[in-house]
Amino acid sequence: MSNGSSLHEFLLRAFADTREMQLLHFSLFLSIYLAALLGNGLIITAVACDHHLHTPMYFFLLNLSILDLGSISVTVPKSMANSLWNTRTISYSGCVAQVFSLFFLFSAEYSLLTVMAYDRYIAMCKPLHYGTVMGSRACVKMAAAAWASGFLYAGLHTANTFSLPLCQGNVVEQFFCEIPQILKLSCSDFYLREVGAHAFGASLILGCFVFIVLSDVQIFTAVLRIPSEQGRHKAFSTCFPHLAVVSLFVSTAVFAYLKPSSISSPVLDLVVAVLYAVVPPAVNPLIYSMRNKDLKDALRKLVQWVQYQHQ
């Protein structure tokens, strides 16, 4: 196998060898996947149907839920199917599609989280300018820019990765097609350019993360000046979830893509991949709705309406 064009399929890593453990993995991933579908689906429906939530913050949250649904649907169903049918294969084109889709959705999500930090910053620190700066047209443009940047970034990385000669077999040591694992299959003198691309990407991620942290510091400073305890609680309830989501997403993804090979191990790689690719889409709805009274009220009304329709 001298290069990628001669490959017809890849072999993904199996979670378990015994049939019982394969079925356990299938059941566990099915539960997580259904939780992600339910949580994100409820947020999308609640925001779309409740006119009280037709604000910039919830518009961006709706976009985030769509991206979360997409990202978990790229990896988990294929892994579940492999466990259920006791197979490890994924076609070459399927692998390319997974890499592109994941990078597209993750990049767009991170850009969107940065935009959400900016939205919170304007709302808390420059409230008088909020209506002007965060008008509906501006919000649509920001969301579109986040999606477009993800598409471009994914295209560059996918083309760069699969143009490399792959001469180390076709076994991907991960339950989905992950770029660091594919790079291990490349000829060692070719993969440095993709490592360079990752370093460039990491610097962009770090820049956005610094922006988010600085925005939150400014927000917390402004929040502490709010005289009413209720006002402070409402402000914190929108900032802490966002910071928690960003921290989990960034720390695990950066670790997965930039950790030195000396500390790499199959179990560690697997755990980190689950933490950045599977856990966030399932827990994000919980994090965002847990302390958000408006969203909880909208979800309660939605559930009551569904129950009324079925009586």
Side-chain angles (χ1 to χ4, degrees):
M1 296 177 190
S2 58
N3 55 54
S5 60
S6 63
L7 282 174
H8 298 294
E9 65 181 23
F10 291 94
L11 293 178
L12 298 175
R13 183 178 176 198
F15 265 89
D17 297 325
T18 65
R19 193 66 191 138
E20 292 79 10
M21 292 304 290
Q22 285 175 339
L23 292 175
L24 179 63
H25 159 245
F26 171 81
S27 303
L28 182 62
F29 263 33
L30 179 62
S31 302
I32 294 171
Y33 188 55
L34 290 176
L37 288 179
L38 178 64
N40 288 291
L42 281 172
I43 285 180
I44 292 168
T45 309
V47 173
C49 296
D50 194 326
H51 69 275
H52 293 110
L53 301 184
H54 291 178
T55 64
M57 183 176 83
Y58 294 108
F59 168 71
F60 293 133
L61 186 57
L62 181 144
N63 276 264
L64 187 70
S65 290
I66 293 171
L67 289 167
D68 277 337
L69 275 182
S71 64
I72 199 168
S73 297
V74 169
T75 58
V76 169
K78 175 61 179 173
S79 182
M80 284 162 47
N82 280 359
S83 284
L84 190 61
W85 306 119
N86 192 24
T87 181
R88 295 172 56 196
T89 60
I90 183 171
S91 66
Y92 184 85
S93 58
C95 192
V96 174
Q98 261 199 349
V99 167
F100 176 83
S101 300
L102 268 185
F103 246 88
F104 164 49
L105 294 162
F106 284 157
S107 302
E109 180 160 338
Y110 191 57
S111 299
L112 194 68
L113 288 169
T114 308
V115 170
M116 290 171 78
Y118 178 69
D119 171 60
R120 293 296 82 212
Y121 166 74
I122 297 295
M124 299 294 178
C125 301
K126 300 181 184 295
L128 297 178
H129 300 100
Y130 187 76
T132 309
V133 177
M134 302 302 294
S136 57
R137 186 171 294 181
C139 290
V140 170
K141 285 181 180 177
M142 288 180 197
W147 285 80
S149 65
F151 188 86
L152 290 172
Y153 196 57
L156 287 171
H157 268 288
T158 306
N160 214 15
T161 299
F162 288 97
S163 65
L164 298 173
L166 304 179
C167 52
Q168 307 287 336
N170 69 336
V171 179
V172 178
E173 289 294 335
Q174 192 54 274
F175 67 94
F176 60 92
C177 283
E178 185 186 52
I179 286 182
Q181 302 300 330
I182 294 170
L183 291 181
K184 291 179 181 179
L185 306 180
S186 67
C187 306
S188 58
D189 52 343
F190 283 97
Y191 82 99
L192 287 175
R193 68 182 185 188
E194 179 60 17
V195 172
H198 275 313
F200 173 71
S203 63
L204 289 177
I205 288 171
L206 185 63
C208 289
F209 187 66
V210 169
F211 173 81
I212 290 169
V213 170
L214 289 177
S215 298
D216 281 335
V217 168
Q218 298 255 45
I219 289 168
F220 291 144
T221 305
V223 166
L224 292 174
R225 295 197 202 104
I226 297 174
S228 73
E229 189 176 333
Q230 187 179 2
R232 285 198 299 272
H233 174 77
K234 187 171 182 179
F236 278 128
S237 69
T238 61
C239 297
F240 276 125
H242 183 262
L243 200 55
V245 168
V246 170
S247 300
L248 175 65
F249 184 72
V250 173
S251 58
T252 51
V254 167
F255 185 76
Y257 281 80
L258 295 179
K259 69 180 182 298
S261 56
S262 58
I263 63 168
S264 183
S265 74
V267 174
L268 180 64
D269 292 347
L270 192 65
V271 170
V272 171
V274 169
L275 283 176
Y276 84 82
V278 179
V279 173
V283 301
N284 281 359
L286 194 62
I287 292 172
Y288 274 108
S289 60
M290 197 182 299
R291 299 182 62 179
N292 190 311
K293 185 177 181 298
D294 293 336
L295 192 56
K296 281 195 285 192
D297 288 343
L299 289 171
R300 194 178 298 114
K301 281 191 280 186
L302 180 64
V303 171
Q304 287 171 349
W305 181 83
V306 170
Q307 288 175 338
Y308 176 76
Q309 294 297 313
H310 285 84
Q311 282 179 356

